[in-house]
């Protein structure tokens, strides 16, 4: 149910983003942002029907009559171009530029009727679209659960905020949104506050407001950022004071940057924002490293308590000897983790981060044989630029299998996020699952990817082989073993592989591996190598016409 809700919310977000991007118009009604957003989201794996529906809503709300529907025509053209085999061989960055430019230029040139001014405007709009599209690419694959945003993701979020602000033109929500964005940006400091204010002021100016609004908004954001030690309500009052009174002074224009009722509502909403979370998202460089030790300690304490809670909820089956050993193991580890957390909190600064050798993009796709998929998975970032990939297939299909696999995934991820190594987490989880009532069996396919060291370690218990694809070769990685929760002391063998740029690591449940032999899978993944990782996984799961089992695939692309 939670996965269904998350997916429904993701679809709704796509529709809303596209609607606002299609409604965002600049001079003479041009819509350069619709095709840019469509290209970026489509490359990231967004559903085309949701994107087109959102674009249609935005065009209908633009109030420009027939001319307002050019954005939908352009997005339809982008969708057709997405299916062209030639463009699939181009990398995502260049493909976003080409798709956005052609999708925006096509309807603009067609409906310019040969008038030079309209032709020039259409080409300028297409150029802006081509420049914006690659900037928005990180938004397409961002799940919203990251502890901090990369610089590229921060740029993408800022660009999207500006587009949304323009899309809210001529509505009361524009003042609310711009005020909220300025106050949120100011939580990252004076620099981000000033930049956020200038961007929101520029959005107001682009949508027909006063050009001086950018200066007033920038000044308001910088002031709020300087007041870092002041409570949130104090910064909100300072923002309202500057935003509402500066227009009476040297700038001398007639309206404030945001009307007073809208600014007040935006300030009130900002008081409910999680300030520490936003600060972490906006932090970069040294500021992010300074807080890393305390963040790791808090995360370890939280996840350890969750793991102990999971153990406490388990009901003994027969003699409790196995459960007692698992409890002793967890308590011993808790002592060590608490000591490490205390040392981390007392440290004045964290150790310098290791240089990242590789960057990873991960895609996941699942397909249920029945109504409920019995496979469960997790993709979790670990300290030290490492990444945990976990896939479990509960015995059978449907709801019972899902409960088994979810329980295994939840327990192992909590233990590893707390700092336990892979073998220790698997051993502890195996003992705890044996201690519970009923048959709690599931396969285990676990990989730890180290982006700094350039390697990955794989652990398997009754899981099908994984594929390690390189430009000139493909290797199957397999290991024998009983499912987790069957036999105490069942230790998987760790298989370490070296990784380099251009490699792909593919993990899948037996429903995929039984339906598609390894050579066919390898050829299919190479055919979709230019697409996003999620799109390649979706192509693999579409290949079998009548699946005999639940299917889940995880693909890691390294650059």
């Amino acid at each position: 149910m939670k996965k269904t809700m998350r997916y429904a919310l993701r679809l709704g977000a796509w529709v809303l983003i596209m609607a606002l991007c299609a409604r965002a118009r600049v001079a003479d009604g041009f819509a350069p942002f619709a095709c840019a957003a469509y290209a970026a989201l489509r490359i990231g794996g967004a559903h085309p029907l949701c994107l087109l529906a959102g674009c249609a809503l935005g065009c209908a709300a633009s109030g420009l009559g027939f001319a307002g529907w050019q954005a939908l025509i352009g997005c339809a053209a982008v969708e057709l171009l997405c299916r062209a085999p030639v463009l699939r061989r181009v990398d995502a960055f260049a493909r976003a530029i080409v798709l956005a430019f052609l999708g925006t230029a096509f309807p603009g040139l067609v409906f310019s009727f040969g008038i030079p001014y309209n032709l020039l405007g259409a080409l300028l709009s297409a150029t802006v679209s081509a420049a914006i599209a690659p900037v928005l690419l990180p938004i397409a694959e961002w799940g919203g659960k990251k502890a901090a945003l990369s610089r590229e993701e921060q740029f993408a979020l800022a660009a999207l905020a500006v587009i949304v602000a323009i899309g809210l033109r001529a509505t009361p929500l524009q003042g609310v949104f711009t005020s909220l964005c300025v106050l949120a940006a100011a939580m990252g400091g004076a620099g981000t506050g000033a930049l956020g204010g200038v961007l929101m002021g520029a959005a107001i100016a682009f949508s027909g407001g006063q050009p001086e609004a950018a200066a007033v908004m920038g000044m308001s954001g910088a002031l709020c950022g300087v007041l870092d030690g002041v409570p949130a309500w104090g910064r909100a009052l300072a923002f309202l004071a500057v935003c509402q009174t500066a227009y009476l002074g040297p700038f001398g224009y007639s309206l404030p940057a945001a009307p007073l009722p809208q600014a007040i509502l935006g300030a009130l909403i900002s008081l409910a924002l999680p300030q520490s979370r936003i600060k972490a998202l906006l932090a970069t460089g040294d500021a992010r490293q300074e807080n890393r030790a305390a963040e790791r300690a808090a995360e370890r304490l939280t996840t350890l308590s969750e793991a102990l809670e999971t153990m406490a909820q388990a009901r003994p089956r027969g003699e409790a000897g196995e459960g007692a050993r698992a409890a002793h193991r967890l308590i011993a580890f808790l002592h060590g983790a608490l000591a490490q957390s205390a040392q981390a909190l007392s440290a004045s600064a964290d150790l310098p981060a290791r240089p990242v050798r590789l960057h990873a993009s991960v895609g996941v796709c699942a397909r249920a044989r029945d109504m409920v998929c019995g496979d469960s998975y997790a993709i979790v970032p670990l300290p030290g630029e490492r990444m945990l990939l976990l896939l479990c297939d509960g015995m059978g299909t449907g709801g019972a299998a899902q409960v088994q696999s979810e329980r295994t995934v939840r327990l192992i991820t909590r233990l590893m996020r707390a700092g336990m190594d892979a073998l220790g987490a698997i051993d502890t989880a195996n003992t705890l699952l044996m201690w519970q009532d009923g048959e709690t069996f599931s396969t285990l396919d676990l990989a730890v990817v180290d982006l700094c060291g350039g390697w990955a370690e794989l652990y398997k218990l009754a899981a099908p082989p994984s594929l390690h694809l390189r430009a000139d070769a493909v290797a199957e990685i397999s290991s024998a073993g009983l499912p987790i929760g069957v036999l105490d002391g069942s230790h998987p063998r760790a298989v370490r592989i070296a990784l380099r740029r251009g490699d792909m690591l593919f993990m899948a449940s037996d429903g995929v591996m039984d339906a598609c032999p390894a050579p066919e899978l390898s050829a299919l993944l190479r055919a979709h190598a230019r697409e996003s990782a999620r799109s390649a996984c979706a192509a693999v799961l579409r290949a079998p016409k009548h699946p005999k089992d639940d299917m889940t695939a995880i693909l890691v692309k390294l650059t």
Side-chain angles (χ1 to χ4, degrees):
M1 181 61 70
K2 290 183 179 179
K3 291 181 180 179
T4 304
M5 288 296 296
R6 284 198 296 267
Y7 186 65
L9 290 174
R10 192 177 181 86
L11 293 180
W14 288 339
V15 173
L16 181 60
I17 288 173
M18 276 307 305
L20 291 172
C21 289
R23 195 177 185 274
R25 306 298 171 112
V26 292
D28 296 319
F30 288 109
F33 309 114
C35 290
Y38 192 98
L41 292 173
R42 191 70 179 89
I43 291 173
H47 198 287
L49 292 180
C50 292
L51 299 182
L52 291 173
C55 184
L57 289 174
C59 292
S62 66
L64 297 177
F66 176 75
W69 294 90
Q70 293 185 26
L72 182 60
I73 298 173
C75 290
V78 171
E79 178 59 32
L80 293 177
L81 291 171
C82 284
R83 303 173 185 274
V86 175
L87 287 177
R88 290 185 178 181
R89 294 194 289 269
V90 182
D91 64 88
F93 188 91
R95 194 175 357 151
I97 294 176
V98 172
L99 291 174
F101 183 87
L102 295 179
T104 307
F106 169 68
L109 295 176
V110 169
F111 293 100
S112 65
F113 304 108
I115 301 174
Y117 178 81
N118 292 344
L119 289 172
L120 179 61
L123 291 176
L124 287 175
S125 181
T127 303
V128 171
S129 181
I132 290 291
V135 177
L136 296 177
L137 278 175
I139 291 292
E141 296 185 357
W142 182 45
K145 295 183 179 181
K146 294 191 175 183
L149 298 179
S150 66
R151 190 175 299 274
E152 292 78 11
E153 289 169 335
Q154 290 176 353
F155 286 154
L157 193 61
L160 184 63
V162 172
I163 296 172
V164 169
I166 298 175
L168 293 172
R169 59 183 174 83
T171 68
L173 291 177
Q174 187 183 51
V176 177
F177 181 78
T178 52
S179 301
L180 177 62
C181 286
V182 173
L183 286 167
M187 294 178 186
T192 56
L195 179 60
V198 170
L199 290 176
M200 290 299 102
I204 293 173
F206 274 123
S207 52
Q210 298 280 357
E212 292 85 352
V216 175
M217 281 289 202
M219 187 165 54
S220 304
L223 175 62
C224 294
V226 170
L227 302 175
D228 186 42
V230 177
W233 61 265
R235 292 197 303 272
L237 288 177
F239 168 79
L240 291 173
V242 175
C243 183
Q244 296 299 315
T245 61
Y247 76 98
L248 297 174
F251 296 105
Y253 64 97
S254 58
L255 293 174
L260 181 59
Q262 301 172 22
I264 291 176
L265 182 56
L268 290 175
I269 296 174
S270 72
L271 299 179
L273 296 177
Q275 184 172 341
S276 58
R277 167 73 170 156
I278 294 177
K279 275 188 175 181
L281 288 174
L282 298 178
T284 56
D286 294 337
R288 192 178 298 172
Q289 293 183 10
E290 289 173 0
N291 297 325
R292 189 176 296 164
E295 290 174 355
R296 286 181 181 174
E299 183 178 359
R300 286 188 174 190
L301 292 175
T302 302
T303 50
L304 277 170
S305 65
E306 291 173 347
L308 290 172
E309 181 184 4
T310 301
M311 186 190 72
Q313 292 174 351
R315 292 177 295 175
R317 181 182 64 192
E319 296 183 359
E322 304 296 343
R325 286 204 298 271
H328 181 269
R329 191 179 295 115
L330 274 176
I331 292 171
F333 177 73
L334 176 62
H335 178 271
L338 287 173
Q340 293 177 8
S341 299
Q343 293 174 3
L345 285 172
S346 62
S348 58
D350 197 10
L351 295 175
R354 295 187 296 163
V356 177
R357 295 173 53 188
L358 299 170
H359 296 277
S361 61
V362 185
V364 187
C365 202
R367 180 180 176 185
R369 193 195 73 171
D370 301 320
M371 295 297 294
V372 179
C373 182
D375 303 337
S376 296
Y377 63 86
I379 301 170
V380 181
L382 299 174
E385 299 297 337
R386 295 178 302 141
M387 181 170 52
L388 166 65
L389 310 173
L390 180 58
L391 175 60
C392 292
D393 180 2
M395 295 296 100
T397 59
Q402 185 188 46
V403 170
Q404 297 168 13
S405 60
E406 277 190 349
R407 183 179 298 158
T408 305
V409 168
R410 183 170 60 250
L411 183 56
I412 290 179
T413 53
R414 286 175 176 174
L415 292 171
M416 292 194 65
R417 284 175 56 206
M420 189 177 283
D421 61 24
L423 282 175
I426 294 171
D427 187 28
T428 302
N430 183 61
T431 304
L432 285 174
L433 293 172
M434 289 184 59
W435 187 39
Q436 296 187 0
D437 275 340
E439 295 185 348
T440 310
F441 307 148
S442 66
T443 66
L444 176 92
D445 201 352
L446 186 151
V448 177
V449 179
D450 190 320
L451 300 176
C452 296
W455 53 262
E457 281 187 346
L458 288 86
Y459 305 83
K460 292 179 178 291
L461 286 175
S466 299
L467 300 182
H468 177 207
L469 292 90
R470 284 188 166 167
D472 53 352
V474 57
E476 290 190 39
I477 305 165
S478 59
S479 180
L482 294 173
I484 190 168
V486 174
L487 180 66
D488 187 32
S490 180
H491 303 291
R493 181 175 62 91
V495 179
R496 175 173 285 210
I497 58 174
L499 301 174
R500 62 191 183 194
R501 289 184 177 87
D503 285 7
M504 292 189 288
L505 180 62
F506 181 76
M507 303 165 57
S509 59
D510 53 7
V512 178
M513 306 306 289
D514 292 344
C516 299
E520 183 179 339
L521 275 175
S522 175
L524 196 56
L525 290 170
R526 292 187 190 280
H528 295 271
R530 296 285 185 179
E531 300 181 15
S532 67
R534 187 181 183 281
S535 298
C537 286
V540 168
L541 265 59
R542 285 196 303 267
K545 301 299 182 183
H546 303 288
K548 298 180 179 179
D549 196 358
D550 299 325
M551 300 194 301
T552 302
I554 302 176
L555 178 64
V556 183
K557 299 177 67 175
L558 299 164
T559 55

